[in-house]
Coordinates of all heavy atoms in Angstrom, one line a residue:
V1 N 83.3 86.1 105.8 CA 83.6 87.1 104.8 C 82.5 88.2 104.8 O 81.4 87.9 104.7 CB 83.8 86.5 103.4 CG1 84.1 87.6 102.4 CG2 84.9 85.5 103.3
N2 N 82.9 89.4 105.0 CA 82.0 90.5 104.9 C 82.1 91.1 103.5 O 83.1 91.7 103.1 CB 82.4 91.6 105.9 CG 81.5 92.8 105.8 OD1 80.6 92.9 105.0 ND2 81.7 93.8 106.7
P3 N 81.1 91.0 102.7 CA 81.2 91.5 101.3 C 81.4 93.0 101.2 O 81.7 93.5 100.1 CB 79.8 91.0 100.7 CG 78.9 90.9 101.8 CD 79.8 90.4 103.0
N4 N 81.1 93.7 102.3 CA 81.3 95.1 102.3 C 82.6 95.6 102.8 O 82.8 96.8 103.0 CB 80.1 95.8 103.1 CG 78.8 95.5 102.5 OD1 78.6 95.5 101.3 ND2 77.8 95.1 103.4
D5 N 83.5 94.7 103.0 CA 84.8 95.0 103.6 C 85.5 96.1 102.9 O 86.1 97.1 103.5 CB 85.7 93.8 103.7 CG 85.7 93.2 105.2 OD1 85.2 93.9 106.1 OD2 86.2 92.1 105.3
D6 N 85.6 96.0 101.6 CA 86.3 97.0 100.8 C 85.7 98.4 100.9 O 86.4 99.3 101.1 CB 86.3 96.6 99.3 CG 87.2 95.4 99.0 OD1 88.1 95.1 99.9 OD2 87.0 94.7 98.0
A7 N 84.4 98.4 100.8 CA 83.7 99.7 101.0 C 83.8 100.3 102.4 O 83.9 101.5 102.6 CB 82.3 99.6 100.6
E8 N 83.8 99.4 103.4 CA 83.8 99.9 104.8 C 85.2 99.9 105.3 O 85.4 100.3 106.5 CB 83.0 98.9 105.6 CG 81.5 98.8 105.2 CD 80.8 97.7 106.0 OE1 81.4 97.0 106.8 OE2 79.5 97.6 105.7
G9 N 86.2 99.6 104.6 CA 87.6 99.6 105.1 C 87.9 98.5 106.1 O 88.8 98.7 106.9
G10 N 87.2 97.4 106.0 CA 87.4 96.3 106.9 C 88.7 95.6 106.7 O 89.4 95.8 105.7
V11 N 89.1 94.7 107.6 CA 90.3 94.0 107.5 C 90.3 92.9 106.4 O 91.3 92.7 105.8 CB 90.6 93.3 108.9 CG1 91.8 92.4 108.8 CG2 90.7 94.3 110.0
G12 N 89.2 92.3 106.2 CA 89.1 91.3 105.1 C 89.3 89.9 105.7 O 89.2 89.7 106.9
R13 N 89.7 89.0 104.8 CA 89.9 87.6 105.2 C 91.1 87.4 106.1 O 92.1 88.0 105.8 CB 89.9 86.7 104.0 CG 88.7 86.9 103.0 CD 88.7 85.8 101.9 NE 90.0 85.5 101.3 CZ 90.1 84.8 100.2 NH1 89.1 84.4 99.6 NH2 91.3 84.6 99.7
R14 N 91.0 86.6 107.1 CA 92.1 86.4 108.0 C 93.1 85.3 107.4 O 92.8 84.6 106.5 CB 91.5 85.8 109.3 CG 90.5 86.8 109.9 CD 89.9 86.2 111.2 NE 89.0 85.1 110.9 CZ 87.8 84.8 111.5 NH1 87.4 85.7 112.3 NH2 87.2 83.7 111.2
G15 N 94.3 85.3 108.0 CA 95.3 84.4 107.6 C 95.2 83.1 108.5 O 95.2 83.3 109.7
L16 N 95.1 82.0 107.9 CA 94.9 80.7 108.7 C 96.0 79.7 108.3 O 97.1 80.0 108.0 CB 93.5 80.2 108.5 CG 92.3 81.0 109.1 CD1 91.0 80.3 108.8 CD2 92.5 81.2 110.6
A17 N 95.6 78.4 108.2 CA 96.5 77.3 108.0 C 97.2 77.4 106.6 O 98.3 76.8 106.4 CB 95.8 76.0 108.1
G18 N 96.6 78.2 105.7 CA 97.3 78.3 104.4 C 98.6 79.0 104.5 O 99.5 78.8 103.5
T19 N 98.9 79.6 105.6 CA 100.2 80.2 105.8 C 101.3 79.2 105.8 O 102.4 79.4 105.3 CB 100.3 81.0 107.1 OG1 99.1 81.8 107.2 CG2 101.5 81.9 107.2
V20 N 101.0 78.0 106.2 CA 102.0 76.9 106.2 C 102.4 76.6 104.8 O 103.6 76.4 104.5 CB 101.5 75.7 106.9 CG1 102.5 74.5 106.9 CG2 101.0 76.0 108.3
L21 N 101.5 76.5 103.9 CA 101.8 76.2 102.5 C 102.6 77.3 101.9 O 103.5 77.1 101.1 CB 100.5 76.0 101.7 CG 99.6 74.8 102.2 CD1 98.3 74.7 101.3 CD2 100.4 73.5 102.1
V22 N 102.2 78.6 102.2 CA 103.0 79.7 101.7 C 104.5 79.6 102.1 O 105.4 79.7 101.3 CB 102.4 81.0 102.1 CG1 103.2 82.2 101.7 CG2 101.0 81.2 101.6
N23 N 104.6 79.3 103.4 CA 106.0 79.2 103.9 C 106.8 78.1 103.2 O 107.9 78.2 102.9 CB 106.0 78.8 105.4 CG 105.4 80.0 106.3 OD1 105.4 81.1 105.8 ND2 105.0 79.7 107.5
K24 N 106.1 76.9 103.0 CA 106.8 75.8 102.4 C 107.1 76.0 100.9 O 108.3 75.8 100.5 CB 105.9 74.5 102.5 CG 106.5 73.3 101.9 CD 107.9 73.0 102.5 CE 108.7 72.0 101.7 NZ 110.1 71.9 102.2
F25 N 106.2 76.5 100.1 CA 106.4 76.7 98.7 C 107.4 77.8 98.5 O 108.4 77.7 97.7 CB 105.1 77.0 98.0 CG 104.3 75.7 97.6 CD1 103.4 75.2 98.6 CD2 104.5 75.1 96.4 CE1 102.7 74.1 98.3 CE2 103.8 73.9 96.1 CZ 102.9 73.4 97.1
A26 N 107.3 78.9 99.2 CA 108.2 80.0 99.1 C 109.6 79.6 99.6 O 110.6 80.0 99.0 CB 107.7 81.3 99.8
G27 N 109.6 78.9 100.7 CA 110.9 78.4 101.2 C 111.6 77.5 100.3 O 112.8 77.6 100.1
A28 N 110.9 76.6 99.6 CA 111.5 75.7 98.7 C 112.0 76.4 97.5 O 113.1 76.1 97.0 CB 110.4 74.7 98.2
R29 N 111.3 77.4 97.0 CA 111.8 78.2 95.9 C 113.1 79.0 96.2 O 114.0 79.1 95.4 CB 110.7 79.2 95.4 CG 111.1 79.9 94.0 CD 111.1 78.8 92.9 NE 111.6 79.4 91.7 CZ 112.9 79.3 91.2 NH1 113.8 78.7 92.0 NH2 113.3 79.8 90.1
A30 N 113.1 79.5 97.4 CA 114.3 80.2 97.9 C 115.5 79.2 98.0 O 116.6 79.5 97.6 CB 114.1 80.9 99.2
A31 N 115.2 78.0 98.5 CA 116.3 77.0 98.7 C 116.9 76.5 97.4 O 118.0 76.1 97.3 CB 115.8 75.9 99.5
T32 N 116.1 76.6 96.3 CA 116.5 76.1 95.0 C 117.1 77.3 94.1 O 117.2 77.1 92.9 CB 115.4 75.4 94.2 OG1 114.2 76.3 94.2 CG2 115.0 74.2 95.0

């Protein structure tokens, strides 16, 4: 994490394994 990302216009935090949980929870809510 670069604490200056916002000021420097950086990309910020990357997407990792948490994407799987997003897919699952959002997919479950859509299915219901």
Side-chain angles (χ1 to χ4, degrees):
V1 178
N2 179 359
N4 299 316
D5 260 346
D6 290 339
E8 297 173 1
V11 175
R13 304 190 320 192
R14 302 173 295 220
L16 292 180
T19 312
V20 181
L21 297 178
V22 176
N23 293 342
K24 180 54 194 171
F25 280 85
R29 188 67 187 96
T32 54

